[in-house]
């Protein structure tokens, strides 16, 4: 883990633009943006993006720890982020996630909503490009890391696109979906590539797969036992005039949902860490103990699978009770 460097900002526009763009590639953004699409836009769009996000990020994180390509040397570059400095560089998972999310959103909505395809294509390109460039500006990746990440995502999207409908149908209807949605990600997390030193990649991967697993179980339960809470009619992207009522409802759904998601995260984090601390005899504040495999994987998987489940099951039920449907 490197130390923070001193630097002088000469262009505040670029500095804040790319710092903000870098945040668009963080897990916290996707854990808020993906539920937003589920609550306000379309269930099918959200399901596809969550599955794509989980697959792409897992492959990207594992690839880093198999290839073990170092990040850019500092100096000469100045690193504006330190949390992920302990991770390897190739491929850039920020570039992978941004490419996968933006273009999967485009392909999932272009046949369901009326909007200019060219506008959607430009928006997807600009979003992914800003995130990719931010990784160069912040000194966290080389050009090759970013290009490699974007290309891997593009290939995965092309390979998965023909099977989207089949995968979606199986996730909603297969009686084995809940079991496989939990067991397969857990097995992948426990068998994550081992490193000679601690890196946050395993924990981040567990967070992503846990959130995806909880959401997938929620999708299945909703399809089996509840009528769809929202349809594409809730927010028609082709309507030029967005009424104030629609804006209020959208914002209300979002803030209620985020409150429940954050509350679930904090509650489950405290409960799971407390139980694991009792089981393995360590104080909750012991960072080194929380990095151990037998602690980190169940702690993050249970916490974020609860978040995913809450976002897809509990929040829609609460929206219905509050009359926000």
């Amino acid at each position: 883990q490197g130390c923070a460097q001193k630097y002088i900002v000469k262009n505040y526009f670029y500095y804040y633009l790319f710092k903000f763009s870098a945040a668009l590639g963080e897990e916290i953004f996707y854990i808020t943006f993906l539920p937003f699409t589920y609550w306000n836009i379309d269930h099918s769009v959200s399901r596809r993006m969550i599955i794509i996000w989980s697959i792409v990020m897992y492959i990207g994180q594992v690839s880093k720890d198999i290839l073990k390509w170092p990040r850019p040397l500092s100096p000469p570059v100045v690193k504006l982020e330190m949390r992920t400095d302990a991770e390897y560089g190739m491929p850039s998972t920020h570039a992978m996630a941004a490419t996968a999310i933006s273009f999967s959103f485009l392909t999932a909505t272009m046949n369901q909503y009326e909007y200019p395809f060219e506008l959607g294509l430009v928006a997807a390109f600009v979003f992914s490009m800003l995130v990719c460039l931010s990784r160069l500006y912040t000194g966290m990746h080389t050009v090759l890391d970013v290009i490699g990440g974007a290309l891997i995502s593009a290939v995965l999207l092309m390979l998965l696109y023909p099977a989207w409908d089949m995968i979606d149908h199986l996730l909603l209807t297969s009686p084995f979906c809940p079991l496989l949605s939990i067991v397969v990600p857990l097995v992948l997390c426990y068998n994550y590539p081992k490193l000679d030193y601690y890196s946050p990649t395993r924990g981040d991967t567990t967070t992503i797969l846990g959130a995806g697993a909880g959401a997938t179980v929620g999708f299945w339960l909703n399809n089996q036992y509840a009528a769809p809470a929202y349809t594409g009619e809730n927010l028609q992207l082709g309507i030029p005039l967005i009424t104030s009522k629609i804006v209020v409802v959208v914002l209300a759904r979002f803030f209620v949902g985020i409150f429940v998601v954050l509350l679930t995260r904090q509650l489950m984090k405290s409960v799971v860490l407390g139980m694991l601390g009792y089981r393995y005899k360590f104080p909750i504040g012991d960072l080194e103990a929380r990095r151990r495999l037998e602690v980190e994987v169940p702690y993050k998987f249970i916490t974020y699978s609860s978040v995913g489940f809450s976002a897809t099951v509990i929040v829609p039920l609460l929206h219905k009770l509050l009359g926000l449907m």
Side-chain angles (χ1 to χ4, degrees), residues 13 92 102 197 222 235 238 296 319:
F13 174 76
S92 166
S102 57
Y197 62 91
N222 286 337
L235 181 62
E296 184 176 59
H319 285 167

Side-chain angles (χ1 to χ4, degrees), residues 86 195-203 290-292 296 300:
L195 297 177
D196 297 330
Y197 62 91
Y198 178 79
S199 164
T201 49
R202 184 183 65 202
R290 287 162 57 173
R291 290 175 170 179
R292 287 154 44 187
E296 184 176 59
K300 294 207 167 184

Side-chain angles (χ1 to χ4, degrees), residues 4-292:
Q5 296 173 288
K6 293 182 179 180
Y7 54 86
I8 298 174
V9 179
K10 295 183 178 179
N11 189 313
Y12 281 96
F13 174 76
Y14 289 145
Y15 178 77
Y16 288 113
L17 172 65
F18 290 124
K19 288 283 283 185
F20 174 75
S21 299
L24 297 179
E26 298 288 346
E27 285 79 6
I28 190 64
F29 170 75
Y30 295 111
I31 291 177
T32 54
F33 172 71
L34 294 174
F36 177 86
T37 63
Y38 190 77
W39 301 330
N40 290 299
I41 299 181
D42 192 288
H43 279 180
S44 64
V45 172
S46 182
R47 287 197 304 268
R48 283 161 170 76
M49 286 197 298
I50 288 173
I51 298 306
I52 290 291
W53 177 63
S54 301
I55 294 173
V56 163
M57 289 299 289
Y58 174 77
I59 292 174
Q61 296 284 71
V62 168
S63 298
K64 281 186 179 184
D65 290 337
I66 291 176
L67 294 174
K68 298 183 178 181
W69 286 21
R71 290 187 182 272
L73 293 177
S74 177
V77 305
V78 176
K79 295 185 177 180
L80 304 186
E81 298 176 12
M82 299 313 301
R83 176 187 175 275
T84 58
D85 191 37
E87 298 180 4
Y88 290 106
M90 169 63 87
S92 166
T93 47
H94 274 68
M96 292 184 69
T99 303
I101 288 294
S102 57
F103 284 95
S104 63
F105 183 81
L106 173 65
T107 53
T109 58
M110 63 183 182
N111 293 324
Q112 298 190 44
Y113 298 96
E114 295 180 2
Y115 64 88
F117 174 77
E118 295 78 8
L119 179 62
L121 184 62
V122 169
F125 180 79
V126 169
F127 178 88
S128 55
M129 183 58 67
L130 282 174
V131 174
C132 289
L133 290 176
S134 74
R135 307 316 288 159
L136 303 179
Y137 183 87
T138 55
M140 302 310 296
H141 284 286
T142 65
V143 174
L144 187 58
D145 295 343
V146 170
I147 293 175
L151 287 177
I152 291 171
S153 272
V155 170
L156 288 172
L157 279 172
M158 289 189 291
L159 292 175
L160 291 170
Y161 180 74
W164 269 14
D165 290 337
M166 180 186 69
I167 294 172
D168 192 50
H169 178 73
L170 288 175
L171 290 178
L172 293 178
T173 60
S174 173
F176 303 105
C177 173
L179 179 63
L180 293 178
S181 296
I182 298 297
V183 172
V184 172
L186 265 178
V187 169
L188 294 176
C189 292
Y190 274 108
N191 290 277
Y192 193 83
K194 293 181 174 59
L195 297 177
D196 297 330
Y197 62 91
Y198 178 79
S199 164
T201 49
R202 184 183 65 202
D204 290 344
T205 305
T206 305
T207 295
I208 294 164
L209 293 185
T216 303
V217 173
F219 298 151
W220 185 86
L221 281 174
N222 286 337
N223 188 67
Q224 297 296 317
Y225 301 107
Y230 313 110
T231 66
E233 296 177 355
N234 287 304
L235 181 62
Q236 288 289 349
L237 300 182
I239 297 178
L241 293 177
I242 303 293
T243 66
S244 58
K245 181 181 178 181
I246 292 177
V247 172
V248 169
V249 170
V250 166
L251 291 176
R253 288 177 182 172
F254 177 70
F255 286 114
V256 167
I258 289 301
F259 174 78
V260 173
V261 164
L262 293 178
L263 182 64
T264 301
R265 176 183 177 274
Q266 189 59 41
L267 178 63
M268 294 306 299
K269 178 180 178 180
S270 301
V271 171
V272 175
L273 271 180
M275 294 175 63
L276 290 170
Y278 177 79
R279 169 67 177 83
Y280 293 107
K281 312 300 182 187
F282 68 87
I284 292 179
D286 188 342
L287 182 60
E288 288 302 317
R290 287 162 57 173
R291 290 175 170 179
R292 287 154 44 187

Side-chain angles (χ1 to χ4, degrees), residues 302-320:
I302 294 173
T303 298
Y304 285 94
S305 62
S306 299
V307 167
F309 182 83
S310 175
T312 54
V313 176
I314 306 300
V315 171
L317 288 175
L318 185 57
H319 285 167
K320 185 175 182 179

